[in-house]
Amino acid sequence: MVILSISEVSELKRMLKEKFRMELHLHDGCGGQYFFFDVVPSEALTRALDKHLSKKRLCAVFDEDGMRFTVERRL
C-alpha cells in the first residue's frame, strides 16, 4: 500500500470534484490509508482516477463493492 501526501490527496479530490462532482473521502489511520465514495463511481471516473494515478506509477485497487480503494505501486 502506498500512502499519499496531503497535497496529493487534495489534488486527487479536487480533480474528481471538478470533473465528476464526486466527493472522495479519506480514511487515514494507524492501519494505513484508504479512500471511499458515497456511491459507486462511474466507469469514466475510474478511468480518470487510473489515468491520474498512473502518472505517478500508481493504481487504485478497489474492494468488491467498488466504492472503496487503496493505492498501490503499478508493476
Side-chain angles (χ1 to χ4, degrees), residues 1 30 36 58 60 65:
M1 179 184 321
C30 298
F36 61 97
L58 302 173
D65 67 4

Side-chain angles (χ1 to χ4, degrees), residues 21-73:
R21 297 183 183 173
M22 285 283 282
E23 190 68 39
L24 177 65
H25 304 283
L26 166 67
H27 181 271
D28 193 4
C30 298
Q33 187 180 65
Y34 68 86
F35 300 88
F36 61 97
F37 297 102
D38 294 328
V39 297
V40 177
S42 67
E43 190 175 317
L45 184 146
T46 57
R47 279 195 311 265
L49 176 62
D50 185 56
K51 182 177 179 181
H52 180 85
L53 292 172
S54 69
K55 293 174 188 174
K56 299 175 183 188
R57 298 184 50 157
L58 302 173
C59 65
V61 179
F62 280 88
D63 284 357
E64 287 182 22
D65 67 4
M67 294 175 58
R68 183 174 133 162
F69 68 91
T70 58
V71 176
E72 304 283 338
R73 289 253 173 249

